[in-house]
Amino acid sequence: MFDLNRRFVLQSLAVSGIGVTGVWALLRSGFAQQVYKEVDELKTGEFTWHPERSPAGPVAVVVSVPDQRVHVYRNSIRIAISTCSTGAPGHSTPTGVFTILEKDKNHHSSKYNDAPMPNMNRLTWSGIALHAGMLPGYPASHGCVRLPLKFSELLFSVTHIGTPVLIAGSHSDPREVIHPGMVLGQYAEHEFELAAANLKSKQLPGLSHEENPTPPTSILISRADRRGYVFENGHIVAEGRIDIKNPDQPLGSHVFILVDSHDSRRGLTWHGIGHHSEGAVNLVASEEVVITRLSAGDANVIEAIKTRMHPGLIMVMTDLAAHPDTRSDRDLVVMNADDA
């Protein structure tokens, strides 16, 4: 393993900007170290990993750029924190909402001298990804999010195509939201059992969310456009008008992950995360309030969502316009306007 780490580090010198002294210091420390510390106490290259806190459920990854930290949540419970290195000045990492588009355990860069990028989780087709790399203790990459090698292996084992990744200045911890009806549409009381049964059937017994073969589905709601977009496997399968209560009032930036039906309250259980591109928390509205302000104006959007509902379905809300600079037909990317 030492030889593998040494080869990886030396090959990464071309894009790391780290001197030889720093390289050997990282090698001597094992390049990554799991520790038992609070988030503010983590030193460069250190991480925590506690999957036993939440053995199953949808995974969400949050990258805090100001703190140079990566938070991993499963079923709304934080199971890991790691140090990281985001983009250097002039190559800043874009903030926004992404979903994992591709996974490659032994990826090499096509742009930077074939540099190794182990355990790569791709976020954009233009080159932004999570992967193992040099961590000097400050933003130093060409836009990617570099992770400690061992942590990148562990993260790779729990993500899947469609896993949401938030890159932000601040974020709220996930909170449970019960929506009293089908999201973006209403259903009659007698239809709840059918809706709940359909949802449960999409999660196959004995399979984790990472193993479930249900195609990843995402919903993007843009207040600026007053439109909703339904993605399946990264392609738009439906879009249409979205009606918003008090449309002049911002929605804020939120990601909702569908967990299950809630039988006693006859609704759907979501885990909501608010985020913001700046360092100060400014989430505009709570997840409980914002989700009730929306309804689909076009039946094709409601039907597309109903037939594709499954645990792990992602719904993104933003005040930004969903134009090609921030969203393409091939993937769900909602970047901050300054980064687009």
Side-chain angles (χ1 to χ4, degrees):
M1 177 58 74
F2 177 81
D3 288 340
L4 174 61
N5 282 344
R6 181 173 64 181
R7 188 181 314 115
F8 165 69
V9 172
L10 294 178
Q11 286 178 318
S12 298
L13 275 172
V15 294
S16 67
I18 297 222
V20 174
T21 301
V23 170
W24 285 109
L26 284 172
L27 286 174
R28 286 195 298 270
S29 69
F31 197 62
Q33 184 177 4
Q34 182 174 355
V35 296
Y36 296 87
K37 292 182 177 180
E38 296 297 324
V39 60
D40 295 335
E41 299 174 347
L42 293 175
K43 297 179 180 179
T44 300
E46 294 182 336
F47 65 92
T48 67
W49 187 261
H50 300 289
E52 71 281 358
R53 291 176 178 171
S54 183
V59 171
V61 180
V62 179
V63 179
S64 175
V65 175
D67 298 334
Q68 295 290 279
R69 296 288 188 270
V70 176
H71 305 256
V72 183
Y73 297 92
R74 184 157 61 188
N75 211 29
S76 279
I77 297 172
R78 188 165 59 188
I79 63 171
I81 312 167
S82 177
T83 52
C84 69
S85 179
T86 58
H91 299 279
S92 60
T93 301
T95 57
V97 180
F98 308 81
T99 57
I100 292 176
L101 308 173
E102 179 185 45
K103 290 165 60 77
D104 186 354
K105 193 163 185 62
N106 299 298
H107 185 71
H108 284 70
S109 174
S110 60
K111 297 173 64 176
Y112 303 112
N113 301 317
D114 199 40
M117 297 179 172
N119 306 309
M120 187 273 290
N121 286 286
R122 181 182 297 280
L123 304 182
T124 73
W125 296 113
S126 61
I128 305 300
L130 306 170
H131 63 79
M134 298 296 297
L135 273 70
Y138 51 83
S141 78
H142 284 83
C144 288
V145 179
R146 297 181 190 167
L147 307 170
L149 180 58
K150 182 58 179 178
F151 177 80
S152 73
E153 295 175 356
L154 295 169
L155 180 64
F156 194 87
S157 72
V158 300
T159 59
H160 61 89
I161 303 299
T163 294
V165 178
L166 284 71
I167 303 178
S170 60
H171 75 283
S172 66
D173 287 331
R175 66 190 77 180
E176 184 176 84
V177 179
I178 309 297
H179 185 268
M182 297 295 286
V183 67
L184 303 184
Q186 300 299 319
Y187 57 78
E189 185 72 13
H190 67 275
E191 292 181 323
F192 175 78
E193 285 75 12
L194 180 61
N198 180 56
L199 178 61
K200 293 179 185 300
S201 71
K202 298 294 180 66
Q203 181 63 55
L204 301 181
L207 291 184
S208 68
H209 288 267
E210 293 76 27
E211 299 168 324
N212 191 22
T214 303
T217 303
S218 306
I219 306 165
L220 171 59
I221 307 298
S222 167
R223 184 179 70 90
D225 296 345
R226 306 290 200 274
R227 293 187 72 77
Y229 306 83
V230 182
F231 294 79
E232 185 176 75
N233 279 327
H235 296 275
I236 295 178
V237 294
E239 65 174 282
R241 189 183 84 253
I242 296 296
D243 296 324
I244 305 174
K245 295 179 182 178
N246 303 317
D248 293 332
Q249 179 184 348
L251 291 172
S253 300
H254 306 269
V255 174
F256 294 86
I257 305 171
L258 181 58
V259 179
D260 205 344
S261 58
H262 196 291
D263 294 344
S264 63
R265 294 176 61 177
R266 305 184 73 77
L268 300 179
T269 302
W270 299 79
H271 290 164
I273 306 174
H275 64 98
H276 195 267
S277 61
E278 304 300 327
V281 176
N282 180 17
L283 305 180
V284 180
S286 70
E287 286 75 21
E288 294 87 346
V289 172
V290 73
I291 198 171
T292 62
R293 291 175 55 194
L294 307 174
S295 60
D298 293 332
N300 68 310
V301 173
I302 297 176
E303 187 61 28
I305 295 172
K306 283 184 177 181
T307 58
R308 290 171 173 82
M309 279 210 162
H310 63 273
L313 178 144
I314 302 162
M315 181 167 61
V316 176
M317 296 182 188
T318 178
D319 293 312
L320 298 176
H323 52 74
D325 288 340
T326 57
R327 189 273 306 156
S328 73
D329 285 348
R330 197 177 173 193
D331 55 77
L332 193 162
V333 176
V334 183
M335 292 191 298
N336 180 271
D338 295 334
D339 299 317

